[in-house]
Amino acid sequence: MENQTAVSEFVLLGLTHLLVLQHPLFVLFLLLYVTSLLGNGAIIGVVLAELRLHTPMYFFLSNLSCLDIFYSTVTVPKMLAGFLSGQQTISFAGCLAQLHFFHFLGSSEAVLLAVMAYDRYVAICNPLRYRLVMSPQTCLFLAAATWATGFLYALMHTVMTSQVHFCGPNIVYHFFCDIKPLLSLACSSIHLNLALLNFVTGSIALSSFILTLLSYLYIISFLLLKVRSKECRRKAFSTFTSHLTVVSLFYMPVLGNYMISSPGSPSERDMISTLMYCILTPVLNPLIYTLRNEEVKTALKKLLNRKLYS
């Protein structure tokens, strides 16, 4: 049988059917989206402009901000258009593109958070070898590997989903084209798709999460057992607790959504957890890193003063 699709477009049901909520939700998510763009854009600008921030930690932070900008852009503009029009239709090719970039950027962020945790582990637990271990070449390699891993992971799911036969219905019970809601509409076998979703997604998410968790556990034990100075402890805790907050906000809903991968319409809990890591987390990341980081706040003030008086 040829792998052709009878369905040429899908209808995204979105977050709610209630017309009275459409415009308030439009305003809310527009504000969140603009806040995400401005906050993450500010971090990228500050890191590029301030020479003192040209370090591995801020290099990875600027990568995280890039990912967050693209990540929210994959879903939010289409969702905002749906709030205004009342219905969201998306072509089959557009649906696959959205699926690809959502998982490309999301899995890249999962790996990047593990890389950032390793960077903090080396900086705090082995500071004398930090510049040697986290050399510019190593940082570039880790960043490239992060983006490449996400791209290949997403490409696998995109190719596998494109081979699935869709013959109707075409209503996706979600606010964007995700794998699980799409597979629930399939007319052909999806056993291999679900097996890959369980195994590969579980491997990437769990391995990244475990590496991140181990790094932070080792940091905590190192600070408690080997660091005597209260000031050094305070500074180190302040640095990595912001990372730990970001990690918790991202990994918890992701693991909840994809570790149990069965086809079917997503529940409200699934949609709320998806909103958490694809929209809310990109908004909170800049706030967490700037409010808890004196270096970023100082550099941001310096950059704003330079713009005001130039």
Side-chain angles (χ1 to χ4, degrees), residues 140-179:
L140 284 173
F141 171 76
L142 290 173
T146 293
W147 289 78
T149 300
F151 178 81
L152 293 174
Y153 163 77
L155 184 63
M156 176 199 69
H157 280 307
T158 305
V159 171
M160 290 299 299
T161 305
S162 70
Q163 301 303 304
V164 174
H165 186 59
F166 297 96
C167 57
N170 67 337
I171 298 174
V172 179
Y173 291 88
H174 215 304
F175 60 88
F176 76 103
C177 286
D178 200 7
I179 295 175

Side-chain angles (χ1 to χ4, degrees), residues 251-265:
Y251 278 119
M252 293 301 127
V254 167
L255 291 171
N257 258 13
Y258 292 104
M259 285 306 295
I260 304 174
S261 300
S262 57
S265 301

Side-chain angles (χ1 to χ4, degrees), residues 86-294:
Q87 189 178 47
Q88 301 182 67
T89 58
I90 186 169
S91 67
F92 182 74
C95 193
L96 286 179
Q98 192 179 52
L99 181 153
H100 174 80
F101 283 103
F102 181 83
H103 285 275
F104 164 35
L105 298 165
S107 55
S108 295
E109 184 159 337
V111 177
L112 181 61
L113 290 174
V115 171
M116 292 174 73
Y118 175 72
D119 171 70
R120 289 300 83 207
Y121 156 72
V122 178
I124 294 172
C125 301
N126 203 352
L128 296 180
R129 300 189 68 240
Y130 180 63
R131 290 186 178 276
L132 178 64
V133 174
M134 301 303 292
S135 65
Q137 294 80 9
T138 302
C139 292
L140 284 173
F141 171 76
L142 290 173
T146 293
W147 289 78
T149 300
F151 178 81
L152 293 174
Y153 163 77
L155 184 63
M156 176 199 69
H157 280 307
T158 305
V159 171
M160 290 299 299
T161 305
S162 70
Q163 301 303 304
V164 174
H165 186 59
F166 297 96
C167 57
N170 67 337
I171 298 174
V172 179
Y173 291 88
H174 215 304
F175 60 88
F176 76 103
C177 286
D178 200 7
I179 295 175
K180 288 165 67 176
L182 267 184
L183 292 181
S184 69
L185 306 176
C187 299
S188 56
S189 174
I190 56 172
H191 293 301
L192 181 57
N193 300 71
L194 289 176
L196 287 172
L197 187 61
N198 276 313
F199 178 73
V200 182
T201 305
S203 298
I204 291 178
L206 268 183
S207 59
S208 299
F209 178 68
I210 290 171
L211 178 60
T212 303
L213 191 62
L214 289 176
S215 297
Y216 287 131
L217 287 175
Y218 197 93
I219 289 171
I220 292 171
S221 63
F222 179 85
L223 291 175
L224 293 177
L225 298 176
K226 297 187 178 182
V227 176
R228 302 300 179 190
S229 169
K230 291 184 178 180
E231 180 61 25
C232 289
R233 280 187 187 178
R234 186 198 63 78
K235 187 176 179 181
F237 270 116
S238 177
T239 302
F240 92 87
T241 48
S242 59
H243 292 229
L244 197 57
T245 305
V246 171
V247 165
S248 301
L249 288 173
F250 183 82
Y251 278 119
M252 293 301 127
V254 167
L255 291 171
N257 258 13
Y258 292 104
M259 285 306 295
I260 304 174
S261 300
S262 57
S265 301
S267 64
E268 289 183 5
R269 183 192 61 81
D270 292 332
M271 287 203 193
I272 290 170
S273 61
T274 303
L275 286 172
M276 175 73 107
Y277 62 80
C278 79
I279 297 177
L280 192 59
T281 302
V283 175
L284 293 177
N285 281 354
L287 297 175
I288 291 168
Y289 279 108
T290 54
L291 291 177
R292 298 188 63 87
N293 192 308
E294 289 298 328

Side-chain angles (χ1 to χ4, degrees), residues 35-45 64-66 68-69 282-283 285-286:
T35 302
S36 172
L37 294 182
L38 293 176
N40 287 292
I43 285 181
I44 295 170
L64 180 65
S65 292
C66 281
D68 281 340
I69 288 174
V283 175
N285 281 354

